[in-house]
Amino acid sequence: MRALVTGATGCVGANIVEALLARGYAVRALRRTTSELDALAGLDPEYATGDVLDEASLRAAMAGCELVFHAAAVSQYWRNGPEAIYAANVAGTRNVLRAALAQGVQRVVFTSSVAALGVPTRRGQVLDETATFNLRPAQFHYGHSKVLAEAEAQRAVAEGLDVVIVNPVSVIGQRDVHFVGGEILWTAKRGLLVAAPPGGMGIVSAQATGEGHVLAAERGRTGERYILNGENVSHRTLMALAAKVAGVRPPCITIPRVLMTPLAALVDVLNRVRRATPLVDGSQLHLSARDMYFDGSKAERELGFVGGAAQASVAEAWGWYCEHGLL
């Protein structure tokens, strides 16, 4: 079978390409004219030039494809404004689904995010696929954009398109050339892991995430969500793992939760007056004060997905970065 992968030059998309090639699929990777191909190092897919905001280019790229993996998105939400986030994540998804319907694609696997599931309302709560977004859009534009994109996917299902949704947690591992999940290793390498936020999050290997998408294509149920998670860990534990592989000291303190809201407000003020691209924004800090933990048992049970431990994900990323001279 031939599969088109949008977002193929990003971390998740590149890992989907690798997983597909390893399983013997014919793979067509969508790229923009300005896209760098570093994330696809060592792989040899067919390339198609296009953009998720250009439906005509998507139709041409999907010609002859039975499967489409839609992984293109603005995921670095702290480095982009709301207009760019909604354009890529909502309008882009709508264009991909329309093109897939027009071209008679057999199945689409859509990369959403656990951000679409909202936040826990009580300590100790672990969210699953039934969770719904419970923040105001302005509090978390990225999460809201994924909610709207999932609505587009369900609308396409109602129109007869076979769509499966996957919701990865925070992805750390190989081929993350833009240092999205891997930013913690860049920070650790420079000895800057001083204080840990009080919350935690789910971590999944980038390589496993790519494999999980292919499993969703092969075994997933139409219209269903599947959380791709490896392990839920505290931020302090994750930072300690990053510090260990980098050979530096782990963070010595955990920031009290009561300080996170004023700290987030201060960061947002500083970002408004600075000209540089933000390294972090207030919404990230608000979320980092919560235990953003997720239940990945549905994907394990129905897809046979294995996300791996956080330690293995960190080691995967570190090894790939070192091998490619990026750290």
Side-chain angles (χ1 to χ4, degrees):
M1 297 182 74
R2 184 175 302 279
L4 175 72
V5 181
T6 75
T9 59
C11 174
V12 171
N15 278 280
I16 295 171
V17 170
E18 179 177 333
L20 286 166
L21 291 171
R23 279 174 141 79
Y25 287 83
V27 182
R28 185 176 294 161
L30 187 72
R31 58 166 299 183
R32 291 179 291 182
T33 54
T34 56
S35 296
E36 297 179 355
L37 305 180
D38 296 357
L40 292 161
L43 305 178
D44 188 25
E46 175 189 355
Y47 288 100
T49 301
D51 192 301
V52 295
L53 299 181
D54 178 359
E55 188 177 338
S57 71
L58 293 171
R59 292 192 186 201
M62 290 180 194
C65 292
E66 291 85 7
L67 294 173
V68 169
F69 293 83
H70 176 41
V74 170
S75 57
Q76 299 175 38
Y77 57 87
W78 59 96
R79 299 172 183 169
N80 294 272
E83 183 177 341
I85 292 171
Y86 285 105
N89 296 0
V90 184
T93 297
R94 185 185 306 124
N95 290 339
V96 168
L97 297 170
R98 284 177 177 172
L101 273 167
Q103 291 291 56
V105 169
Q106 293 179 17
R107 168 162 276 195
V108 175
V109 177
F110 166 52
T111 309
S112 183
S113 167
V114 290
L117 307 181
V119 300
T121 56
R122 64 181 187 276
R123 294 290 299 275
Q125 183 180 11
V126 178
L127 300 181
D128 63 15
E129 287 84 356
T130 65
T132 56
F133 193 71
N134 54 1
L135 298 171
R136 298 191 311 275
Q139 289 179 287
F140 194 24
H141 290 295
Y142 173 70
H144 183 238
S145 76
K146 287 297 188 178
V147 172
L148 298 180
E150 287 194 15
E152 294 291 340
Q154 294 297 349
R155 189 174 296 114
V157 170
E159 294 175 1
L161 184 63
D162 186 348
V163 185
V164 180
I165 300 167
V166 294
N167 301 77
V169 297
S170 296
V171 178
I172 296 179
Q174 63 175 16
R175 304 190 180 280
D176 181 14
V177 294
H178 300 296
F179 286 87
V180 181
E183 188 170 16
I184 190 172
L185 293 173
W186 186 94
T187 306
K189 176 72 173 179
R190 287 151 183 80
L192 300 176
L193 296 180
V194 178
M201 59 185 181
I203 298 296
V204 66
S205 151
Q207 186 173 38
T209 300
E211 294 167 354
H213 279 71
V214 181
L215 290 171
E218 295 174 346
R219 304 177 186 177
R221 291 184 287 131
T222 302
E224 291 290 314
R225 282 171 162 172
Y226 293 93
I227 293 172
L228 303 183
N229 193 10
E231 184 181 7
N232 295 314
V233 296
S234 70
H235 291 298
R236 185 157 185 168
T237 296
L238 181 62
M239 287 183 172
L241 292 173
K244 184 176 181 179
V245 296
V248 300
R249 294 178 64 180
C252 55
I253 61 170
T254 298
I255 303 170
R257 290 180 192 271
V258 70
L259 295 181
M260 295 303 291
T261 295
L263 183 59
L266 176 61
V267 165
D268 280 339
V269 170
L270 292 175
N271 284 340
R272 283 195 291 269
V273 300
R274 293 175 70 247
R275 295 177 179 271
T277 301
L279 297 176
V280 65
D281 74 354
S283 62
Q284 280 180 291
L285 293 180
H286 277 297
L287 292 174
S288 68
R290 298 175 180 265
D291 294 330
M292 298 293 294
Y293 295 155
F294 298 90
D295 179 1
S297 61
K298 180 179 177 181
E300 295 171 4
R301 183 175 64 254
E302 296 190 16
L303 307 182
F305 176 72
V306 179
Q311 181 176 4
S313 300
V314 170
E316 174 189 313
W318 181 262
W320 194 85
Y321 284 137
C322 291
E323 180 184 350
H324 291 82
L326 297 176
L327 279 175

